[in-house]
Amino acid sequence: MRLITLFLVDYILLSLAWILAGYKSFYGNFSWYLPSHYLPILITIGIQIGSLAIEGIYREGQKRYDYLNIIKSLTFAHGLILFACFLYQPVVDITRPKSILLSWLLSILFICTGRYAVNVTLEYLRKQKKIVRSSVFIICDPQDHEQIASFIKKEKHYIVSGTAHANSLDRYQRQKTLNQLNELGVTEVFISWDALKNRMFLCWLFQASGIQVHILPMELKPIYKNVEFNKIGGMPCLSLDCPIITGKDFWIKRSCDFCFATLFVMLSFPIYVAIAIAIKLDSPGTVFYRQTRIGLHGQQFKVWKFRTMRSDAEKLQKELEALNETKDGIIFKIKDDPRITRVGKFLRRYSLDELPQLFNVIFGEMSIVGPRPLPTRDVDKFSEHHFIRHEVLPGITGLWQVSGRSDIVDFEQVINLDLNYIENWSLGLDFEILLKTVMVVLKKEGAY
């Protein structure tokens, strides 16, 4: 609503500025404003609004009332307009010195006045009518509730809808807390630094539900790189811009995954048939192996793979646990696993056993690139901070696979790689990992 209101007010005022500037310059000749000449005016207003947006004038907080930045943005926009007009010589001549100078002065006057009027109106509505306020929630230790609330109430546009203890962010309590916030219509949550501890991925959970997270720094420690410092009633406050793969980012990634997986399966169908025949001839049992894995938001799903082990492999694993080569025992990996079949060794060497997981991608259970989904046996041994990898769709390949695969025996290294991927995600990074995956598979690095 804030964005729409400010945009409409600015659009109307900038249109009025150009109309008045044109009328004054052309002495009442309104032929400039015939429908055929609307496009250049819309482009010039678009340049002005775009310049204001780039400068952050539409963002929340006091920056939208920074009049000096408004003047700088509109001055820059008018410079661009003048330059564009000299280059392209549009049908409408708006480059006359009197017109461009007057439109610049009127644009600055109208926008600054409009922002002031919006601010005064909002202050009146918040103070007198008790409306147009954001519902906020506080999560901190009980002894800090009153002090933090007093700071927040100094900002007239907040209503404190409730408070909760730090344990409301625990793994088995956070969904209940999130449901409570949604029922209260909370749009922002304030969390004390001590309450957050090492569970910063909660910011992604809140942001994915449309709730802005503010961290109240009782002590400063290294945190996310995308941090904005604000003041709430004079109290220092950090706002995090978390790199979550949600909203349009999720659907862009999902669309690319679906198209790639569908096309690849169609083109490589003969390879699937050949592998299936080889498995069937090599050892008794099914062609495909389906295992329960933990995916997005901790949900279970069945992952598809070509069978590379004997049919009784899961029963034999208990007898082989003592040979596990991973440091903390979370992931089960041993070289020369006696359960692997002859064809299975070949398939694993070139990662061909993973091909059926493209069906999981098509069904929306996995992505092409992302943290590898692990069996329930491994997830049951997770520490609290390990569950962050379940906040994105699991992938067939990822940074773990292109950084050593089975040669990495410390699960903390795996978590660090997963975090690095999540925090720096982009389609470009996915493409880079895919290329590296091809190279790793061809070199047979870390595959067993």
Side-chain angles (χ1 to χ4, degrees), residues 204 224-226 241-245 249 253 369 392 399 415-433:
W204 299 341
Y224 293 104
K225 49 189 176 183
N226 298 324
D241 182 16
C242 300
I244 52 176
I245 308 174
D249 289 338
K253 182 176 172 67
V369 181
V392 298
L399 281 181
I415 289 296
N416 290 334
L417 290 169
D418 289 339
L419 272 173
N420 188 27
Y421 170 75
I422 295 171
E423 292 182 4
N424 297 285
W425 175 83
S426 67
L427 288 178
L429 178 60
D430 279 0
F431 185 69
E432 182 182 340
I433 291 174

CSV table of all heavy atoms in Angstrom, one decimal, residues 204 224-226 241-245 249 253 369 392 399 415-433:
chain,number,residue,atom,x,y,z
A,204,TRP,N,14.9,-16.5,7.2
A,204,TRP,CA,14.4,-17.0,5.9
A,204,TRP,C,13.0,-17.5,6.1
A,204,TRP,O,12.1,-17.2,5.2
A,204,TRP,CB,15.3,-18.1,5.3
A,204,TRP,CG,16.7,-17.6,5.1
A,204,TRP,CD1,17.1,-16.4,5.0
A,204,TRP,CD2,17.8,-18.5,4.9
A,204,TRP,NE1,18.5,-16.3,4.8
A,204,TRP,CE2,18.9,-17.6,4.7
A,204,TRP,CE3,18.0,-19.8,4.9
A,204,TRP,CZ2,20.2,-18.1,4.6
A,204,TRP,CZ3,19.3,-20.3,4.8
A,204,TRP,CH2,20.4,-19.4,4.6
A,224,TYR,N,25.1,-11.6,8.5
A,224,TYR,CA,25.0,-11.6,7.0
A,224,TYR,C,25.6,-10.3,6.4
A,224,TYR,O,25.7,-9.3,7.1
A,224,TYR,CB,23.5,-11.6,6.7
A,224,TYR,CG,22.8,-12.8,7.0
A,224,TYR,CD1,21.9,-12.9,8.1
A,224,TYR,CD2,22.9,-14.0,6.2
A,224,TYR,CE1,21.2,-14.1,8.4
A,224,TYR,CE2,22.3,-15.1,6.5
A,224,TYR,CZ,21.4,-15.2,7.6
A,224,TYR,OH,20.7,-16.3,7.9
A,225,LYS,N,26.0,-10.5,5.2
A,225,LYS,CA,26.6,-9.3,4.5
A,225,LYS,C,25.6,-8.3,4.1
A,225,LYS,O,26.0,-7.1,3.9
A,225,LYS,CB,27.4,-9.8,3.3
A,225,LYS,CG,26.7,-10.8,2.4
A,225,LYS,CD,27.6,-11.4,1.4
A,225,LYS,CE,26.9,-12.4,0.5
A,225,LYS,NZ,27.8,-13.0,-0.4
A,226,ASN,N,24.4,-8.7,3.8
A,226,ASN,CA,23.3,-7.7,3.4
A,226,ASN,C,22.6,-7.3,4.6
A,226,ASN,O,21.5,-7.8,5.0
A,226,ASN,CB,22.4,-8.4,2.4
A,226,ASN,CG,23.1,-8.8,1.1
A,226,ASN,OD1,24.0,-8.1,0.7
A,226,ASN,ND2,22.7,-9.9,0.6
A,241,ASP,N,18.5,-8.7,4.8
A,241,ASP,CA,18.0,-9.0,3.5
A,241,ASP,C,18.5,-10.4,3.2
A,241,ASP,O,19.6,-10.6,2.6
A,241,ASP,CB,18.5,-8.0,2.5
A,241,ASP,CG,18.0,-8.3,1.1
A,241,ASP,OD1,17.0,-9.0,1.0
A,241,ASP,OD2,18.5,-7.7,0.1
A,242,CYS,N,17.7,-11.4,3.6
A,242,CYS,CA,18.1,-12.8,3.5
A,242,CYS,C,18.0,-13.3,2.0
A,242,CYS,O,17.0,-13.1,1.4
A,242,CYS,CB,17.3,-13.7,4.4
A,242,CYS,SG,17.4,-13.2,6.1
A,243,PRO,N,19.0,-14.1,1.6
A,243,PRO,CA,19.0,-14.6,0.2
A,243,PRO,C,18.2,-15.8,0.0
A,243,PRO,O,18.7,-16.9,-0.3
A,243,PRO,CB,20.5,-14.8,0.0
A,243,PRO,CG,21.0,-15.2,1.3
A,243,PRO,CD,20.2,-14.4,2.3
A,244,ILE,N,16.9,-15.8,0.3
A,244,ILE,CA,16.1,-17.0,0.2
A,244,ILE,C,15.7,-17.2,-1.2
A,244,ILE,O,15.5,-16.3,-2.0
A,244,ILE,CB,14.9,-16.8,1.2
A,244,ILE,CG1,14.1,-15.5,0.9
A,244,ILE,CG2,15.2,-16.9,2.6
A,244,ILE,CD1,12.8,-15.3,1.6
A,245,ILE,N,15.5,-18.5,-1.5
A,245,ILE,CA,15.0,-18.9,-2.9
A,245,ILE,C,13.5,-19.1,-2.8
A,245,ILE,O,13.0,-20.2,-2.7
A,245,ILE,CB,15.7,-20.1,-3.4
A,245,ILE,CG1,17.3,-20.0,-3.3
A,245,ILE,CG2,15.4,-20.4,-4.8
A,245,ILE,CD1,18.0,-21.2,-3.6
A,249,ASP,N,12.0,-16.0,-7.5
A,249,ASP,CA,13.2,-16.7,-7.7
A,249,ASP,C,13.0,-18.2,-7.7
A,249,ASP,O,13.6,-19.0,-8.5
A,249,ASP,CB,14.2,-16.4,-6.5
A,249,ASP,CG,14.7,-15.0,-6.6
A,249,ASP,OD1,14.7,-14.4,-7.7
A,249,ASP,OD2,15.2,-14.4,-5.6
A,253,LYS,N,13.6,-20.7,-11.0
A,253,LYS,CA,14.5,-21.9,-10.8
A,253,LYS,C,13.7,-23.2,-11.1
A,253,LYS,O,14.1,-24.1,-11.8
A,253,LYS,CB,15.0,-21.9,-9.4
A,253,LYS,CG,16.0,-23.1,-9.1
A,253,LYS,CD,16.5,-23.0,-7.7
A,253,LYS,CE,17.3,-24.2,-7.3
A,253,LYS,NZ,18.6,-24.4,-8.0
A,369,VAL,N,20.1,-28.4,-9.1
A,369,VAL,CA,21.2,-28.0,-8.2
A,369,VAL,C,20.7,-27.6,-6.9
A,369,VAL,O,19.7,-26.9,-6.7
A,369,VAL,CB,22.0,-26.8,-8.8
A,369,VAL,CG1,23.1,-26.4,-7.9
A,369,VAL,CG2,22.5,-27.1,-10.2
A,392,VAL,N,15.6,-25.1,1.4
A,392,VAL,CA,15.6,-25.0,-0.1
A,392,VAL,C,15.4,-26.4,-0.7
A,392,VAL,O,15.6,-27.4,0.0
A,392,VAL,CB,16.9,-24.4,-0.7
A,392,VAL,CG1,17.1,-23.0,-0.2
A,392,VAL,CG2,18.1,-25.2,-0.4
A,399,LEU,N,27.3,-27.8,-4.6
A,399,LEU,CA,28.7,-27.5,-4.3
A,399,LEU,C,29.5,-28.7,-3.6
A,399,LEU,O,30.7,-28.8,-3.8
A,399,LEU,CB,28.8,-26.3,-3.4
A,399,LEU,CG,28.6,-24.9,-4.0
A,399,LEU,CD1,28.7,-23.8,-3.0
A,399,LEU,CD2,29.7,-24.7,-5.1
A,415,ILE,N,28.0,-28.7,5.3
A,415,ILE,CA,27.1,-27.7,5.8
A,415,ILE,C,27.6,-26.3,5.3
A,415,ILE,O,26.8,-25.5,4.8
A,415,ILE,CB,26.9,-27.7,7.3
A,415,ILE,CG1,26.0,-28.9,7.7
A,415,ILE,CG2,26.2,-26.4,7.8
A,415,ILE,CD1,24.6,-28.9,7.2
A,416,ASN,N,28.9,-26.1,5.4
A,416,ASN,CA,29.4,-24.8,5.0
A,416,ASN,C,29.3,-24.6,3.5
A,416,ASN,O,29.0,-23.5,3.0
A,416,ASN,CB,30.9,-24.7,5.4
A,416,ASN,CG,31.1,-24.6,6.9
A,416,ASN,OD1,30.2,-24.0,7.6
A,416,ASN,ND2,32.3,-25.0,7.4
A,417,LEU,N,29.4,-25.7,2.7
A,417,LEU,CA,29.2,-25.6,1.3
A,417,LEU,C,27.8,-25.3,0.9
A,417,LEU,O,27.4,-24.5,0.0
A,417,LEU,CB,29.7,-26.9,0.6
A,417,LEU,CG,31.2,-27.1,0.6
A,417,LEU,CD1,31.5,-28.5,0.1
A,417,LEU,CD2,31.9,-26.1,-0.3
A,418,ASP,N,26.9,-26.0,1.7
A,418,ASP,CA,25.4,-25.7,1.4
A,418,ASP,C,25.0,-24.3,1.8
A,418,ASP,O,24.3,-23.7,1.0
A,418,ASP,CB,24.6,-26.7,2.3
A,418,ASP,CG,24.7,-28.1,1.8
A,418,ASP,OD1,25.0,-28.3,0.7
A,418,ASP,OD2,24.4,-29.0,2.6
A,419,LEU,N,25.6,-23.8,2.9
A,419,LEU,CA,25.3,-22.4,3.3
A,419,LEU,C,25.8,-21.4,2.2
A,419,LEU,O,25.2,-20.4,1.9
A,419,LEU,CB,25.9,-22.1,4.6
A,419,LEU,CG,25.1,-22.4,5.9
A,419,LEU,CD1,26.0,-22.2,7.1
A,419,LEU,CD2,23.9,-21.5,5.9
A,420,ASN,N,27.0,-21.7,1.7
A,420,ASN,CA,27.6,-20.9,0.7
A,420,ASN,C,26.7,-20.8,-0.5
A,420,ASN,O,26.5,-19.8,-1.2
A,420,ASN,CB,29.0,-21.4,0.4
A,420,ASN,CG,29.8,-20.5,-0.6
A,420,ASN,OD1,29.5,-19.3,-0.6
A,420,ASN,ND2,30.7,-21.0,-1.3
A,421,TYR,N,26.2,-22.0,-0.9
A,421,TYR,CA,25.3,-22.0,-2.1
A,421,TYR,C,24.0,-21.2,-1.9
A,421,TYR,O,23.6,-20.4,-2.7
A,421,TYR,CB,25.0,-23.5,-2.4
A,421,TYR,CG,23.9,-23.6,-3.5
A,421,TYR,CD1,24.2,-23.4,-4.8
A,421,TYR,CD2,22.6,-23.9,-3.1
A,421,TYR,CE1,23.2,-23.5,-5.8
A,421,TYR,CE2,21.6,-24.0,-4.1
A,421,TYR,CZ,21.9,-23.8,-5.4
A,421,TYR,OH,20.9,-23.9,-6.3
A,422,ILE,N,23.4,-21.4,-0.7
A,422,ILE,CA,22.1,-20.8,-0.4
A,422,ILE,C,22.3,-19.3,-0.4
A,422,ILE,O,21.5,-18.5,-0.9
A,422,ILE,CB,21.5,-21.3,0.9
A,422,ILE,CG1,21.2,-22.8,0.8
A,422,ILE,CG2,20.3,-20.5,1.4
A,422,ILE,CD1,20.8,-23.5,2.1
A,423,GLU,N,23.3,-18.8,0.3
A,423,GLU,CA,23.5,-17.4,0.4
A,423,GLU,C,23.9,-16.7,-0.9
A,423,GLU,O,23.7,-15.5,-1.0
A,423,GLU,CB,24.6,-17.1,1.5
A,423,GLU,CG,24.2,-17.5,2.9
A,423,GLU,CD,25.3,-17.2,3.9
A,423,GLU,OE1,26.3,-16.6,3.5
A,423,GLU,OE2,25.1,-17.5,5.1
A,424,ASN,N,24.5,-17.4,-1.8
A,424,ASN,CA,25.0,-16.8,-3.0
A,424,ASN,C,24.2,-17.3,-4.3
A,424,ASN,O,24.7,-17.1,-5.4
A,424,ASN,CB,26.5,-17.0,-3.2
A,424,ASN,CG,27.3,-16.4,-2.1
A,424,ASN,OD1,27.5,-15.2,-2.0
A,424,ASN,ND2,27.8,-17.2,-1.2
A,425,TRP,N,23.0,-17.8,-4.1
A,425,TRP,CA,22.3,-18.5,-5.2
A,425,TRP,C,22.0,-17.5,-6.3
A,425,TRP,O,21.7,-16.3,-6.1
A,425,TRP,CB,21.0,-19.1,-4.7
A,425,TRP,CG,20.2,-19.6,-5.9
A,425,TRP,CD1,20.4,-20.8,-6.5
A,425,TRP,CD2,19.2,-18.9,-6.6
A,425,TRP,NE1,19.6,-20.9,-7.6
A,425,TRP,CE2,18.8,-19.8,-7.7
A,425,TRP,CE3,18.7,-17.7,-6.5
A,425,TRP,CZ2,17.9,-19.4,-8.6
A,425,TRP,CZ3,17.7,-17.3,-7.5
A,425,TRP,CH2,17.3,-18.2,-8.5
A,426,SER,N,22.2,-18.0,-7.5
A,426,SER,CA,21.8,-17.3,-8.7
A,426,SER,C,21.7,-18.4,-9.8
A,426,SER,O,22.3,-19.5,-9.7
A,426,SER,CB,22.7,-16.2,-9.1
A,426,SER,OG,24.0,-16.7,-9.5
A,427,LEU,N,21.0,-18.1,-10.9
A,427,LEU,CA,21.0,-19.0,-12.1
A,427,LEU,C,22.4,-19.2,-12.6
A,427,LEU,O,22.7,-20.3,-13.1
A,427,LEU,CB,20.0,-18.5,-13.1
A,427,LEU,CG,18.5,-18.5,-12.8
A,427,LEU,CD1,17.7,-17.9,-14.0
A,427,LEU,CD2,18.1,-20.0,-12.6
A,428,GLY,N,23.2,-18.1,-12.6
A,428,GLY,CA,24.6,-18.2,-13.0
A,428,GLY,C,25.4,-19.2,-12.2
A,428,GLY,O,26.1,-20.0,-12.8
A,429,LEU,N,25.1,-19.2,-10.9
A,429,LEU,CA,25.9,-20.2,-10.0
A,429,LEU,C,25.4,-21.6,-10.3
A,429,LEU,O,26.2,-22.5,-10.3
A,429,LEU,CB,25.6,-19.8,-8.5
A,429,LEU,CG,26.2,-20.7,-7.5
A,429,LEU,CD1,27.7,-20.8,-7.6
A,429,LEU,CD2,25.8,-20.3,-6.1
A,430,ASP,N,24.1,-21.8,-10.5
A,430,ASP,CA,23.6,-23.1,-10.9
A,430,ASP,C,24.2,-23.6,-12.2
A,430,ASP,O,24.7,-24.8,-12.2
A,430,ASP,CB,22.1,-23.1,-11.1
A,430,ASP,CG,21.3,-23.1,-9.8
A,430,ASP,OD1,22.0,-23.2,-8.7
A,430,ASP,OD2,20.1,-23.1,-9.8
A,431,PHE,N,24.3,-22.8,-13.2
A,431,PHE,CA,25.0,-23.2,-14.4
A,431,PHE,C,26.4,-23.5,-14.2
A,431,PHE,O,26.9,-24.5,-14.8
A,431,PHE,CB,24.8,-22.0,-15.4
A,431,PHE,CG,25.3,-22.4,-16.8
A,431,PHE,CD1,24.6,-23.3,-17.6
A,431,PHE,CD2,26.4,-21.8,-17.3
A,431,PHE,CE1,25.1,-23.6,-18.9
A,431,PHE,CE2,26.9,-22.1,-18.6
A,431,PHE,CZ,26.2,-23.0,-19.4
A,432,GLU,N,27.1,-22.7,-13.4
A,432,GLU,CA,28.5,-23.0,-13.1
A,432,GLU,C,28.7,-24.3,-12.5
A,432,GLU,O,29.6,-25.1,-12.8
A,432,GLU,CB,29.1,-21.9,-12.2
A,432,GLU,CG,30.6,-22.0,-11.9
A,432,GLU,CD,31.0,-20.9,-11.0
A,432,GLU,OE1,30.4,-19.8,-10.9
A,432,GLU,OE2,32.1,-21.1,-10.4
A,433,ILE,N,27.8,-24.6,-11.5
A,433,ILE,CA,27.9,-25.9,-10.8
A,433,ILE,C,27.7,-27.1,-11.7
A,433,ILE,O,28.3,-28.1,-11.7
A,433,ILE,CB,26.9,-25.9,-9.6
A,433,ILE,CG1,27.4,-25.0,-8.5
A,433,ILE,CG2,26.8,-27.3,-9.0
A,433,ILE,CD1,26.4,-24.8,-7.4
